[in-house]
Amino acid sequence: MNIKEIENYWLTSADDALDTAIQLFKAKKFSHSMFFLHLSIEKLLKALFVNHKNIEAPFGHNLANLALRI
């Protein structure tokens, strides 16, 4: 995959995670909804990382650390 495809993967995946978070929230599954919201934000940050750095996003789930690396 090239860099644009990797970025699009993260964006598409983030959108899917956000949709899941919304559906879970509507079902009053709040803790599960928050998990998928966190996942969506993580994937958006990884898309930004790929866009700005032109390399693959690092492995990890720490949002603050990832944001600082962009």
Side-chain angles (χ1 to χ4, degrees):
M1 287 196 325
N2 65 39
I3 292 299
K4 192 63 179 170
E5 290 171 329
I6 294 169
E7 180 186 2
N8 286 335
Y9 163 78
W10 287 119
L11 290 172
T12 301
S13 188
D15 187 52
D16 185 51
L18 180 59
D19 181 58
T20 301
I22 291 168
Q23 296 303 317
L24 288 166
F25 186 84
K26 288 178 181 176
K28 299 187 186 312
K29 304 285 186 181
F30 300 118
S31 62
H32 290 92
S33 176
M34 289 300 295
F35 172 79
F36 277 93
L37 185 59
H38 178 278
L39 189 61
S40 179
I41 293 167
E42 176 186 334
K43 291 176 179 200
L44 284 171
L45 287 171
K46 288 185 178 189
L48 281 170
F49 182 92
V50 170
N51 180 275
H52 287 265
K53 302 287 186 174
N54 289 316
I55 58 174
E56 289 192 36
F59 180 79
H61 307 288
N62 185 317
L63 301 183
N65 184 44
L66 186 56
L68 289 172
R69 294 182 66 183
I70 296 174

